[in-house]
Amino acid sequence: MGSLNDGKAAIPLLKGIHVRLALPTLRYQTMDAGYDYDPIYEQVHRMGHQSIIAYNKRNEPESVGFNKHYAPTCLREHSYRYDSFDAKYETLKYTRPKECVDCPLANEDVCQKVYKVKITNDLRRYTAPARGSKAWKKLFKRRSAVERVNAYLKEYFQLNNVRHRTGKRAKVHFDFVTLVYNASKLAADRIHALFNRQQVA
């Protein structure tokens, strides 16, 4: 029996999260490029969340008037800077590039001072915060931290080797593993904090 593609498994998982964990603090769904499919973006949008998913270009041509992160560019191909997101209108706001300060075209009404894009124009390309922005990169880095924990659990706690026939037993196995991991991590953090206090004293 072949393994299920991660992209296909994502939508049922997202629906389950939406039903069981309807938390107001849950705002972002962060995934790698293996999940870069339109139906996933659409499901995340229906949930009222934002997609922080690495973009997989799949041999797509360059977009004229936009940079690699799909931020608009001026006539001289300088990128507009992401400013903010208007949740009510689902609109990204970009402001004029810093290079435009000394640009002779700045006062010719050729370049826009502000550029707005609705994320619903293309949910893959337009995310909130905008792709390539510091805020987007910071959120995406959280995924790599979670991936490290997953890899640690699989390698050292045998989560890659669960052999129970029923889902209930597998869940108990998983719960015990994560309990032991969290307890050991908490103990290590407290010992580290105690050691630091002793060093200062």
Side-chain angles (χ1 to χ4, degrees):
M1 183 175 171
S3 59
L4 182 65
N5 176 274
D6 287 344
K8 290 180 180 177
I11 291 178
L13 179 61
L14 287 167
K15 288 179 178 177
I17 289 170
H18 191 48
V19 170
R20 293 177 180 83
L21 297 173
L23 301 174
T25 53
L26 195 62
R27 297 168 56 196
Y28 304 102
Q29 299 295 337
T30 309
M31 307 174 204
D32 62 30
Y35 298 89
D36 180 37
Y37 295 103
D38 286 321
I40 293 175
Y41 289 93
E42 289 161 12
Q43 176 60 36
V44 172
H45 184 256
R46 279 194 293 271
M47 292 164 63
H49 298 172
Q50 299 298 335
S51 300
I52 306 296
I53 303 174
Y55 197 88
N56 183 357
K57 287 199 171 183
R58 303 188 189 105
N59 299 318
E60 296 171 17
E62 292 295 321
S63 295
V64 178
F66 297 88
N67 70 7
K68 64 180 181 178
H69 299 297
Y70 302 102
T73 57
C74 68
L75 289 175
R76 298 179 69 187
E77 299 187 354
H78 297 303
S79 300
Y80 277 69
R81 294 174 291 176
Y82 171 66
D83 180 83
S84 58
F85 175 65
D86 186 329
K88 182 179 178 181
Y89 297 103
E90 297 188 307
T91 302
L92 298 171
K93 178 183 175 184
Y94 294 89
T95 56
R96 183 178 277 178
K98 60 183 179 181
E99 291 86 355
C100 289
V101 174
D102 302 320
C103 179
L105 300 174
N107 298 319
E108 299 293 329
D109 293 329
V110 176
C111 296
Q112 295 176 229
K113 289 184 179 179
V114 173
Y115 200 106
K116 294 185 178 181
V117 182
K118 284 185 73 69
I119 62 168
T120 49
N121 288 351
D122 189 330
L123 290 171
R124 276 186 71 216
R125 293 185 176 187
Y126 303 116
T127 65
R131 290 186 180 279
S133 65
K134 287 181 180 178
W136 192 96
K137 290 175 183 176
K138 184 178 179 181
L139 287 166
F140 192 74
K141 277 185 180 179
R142 293 180 186 175
R143 185 199 64 84
S144 59
V146 172
E147 289 291 339
R148 285 195 297 273
V149 172
N150 289 342
Y152 189 84
L153 291 174
K154 287 176 182 178
E155 186 173 350
Y156 297 106
F157 286 80
Q158 293 296 299
L159 273 189
N160 238 358
N161 197 28
V162 178
R163 294 173 184 249
H164 301 293
R165 294 189 178 205
T166 66
K168 287 183 179 178
R169 289 186 177 183
K171 185 179 183 309
V172 170
H173 183 119
F174 175 81
D175 289 344
F176 272 124
V177 166
T178 52
L179 177 66
V180 171
Y181 172 79
N182 287 326
S184 60
K185 186 76 170 72
L186 178 62
D189 288 346
R190 288 186 174 177
I191 291 168
H192 184 68
L194 179 63
F195 179 77
N196 285 341
R197 285 197 297 272
Q198 289 174 345
Q199 292 288 95
V200 171

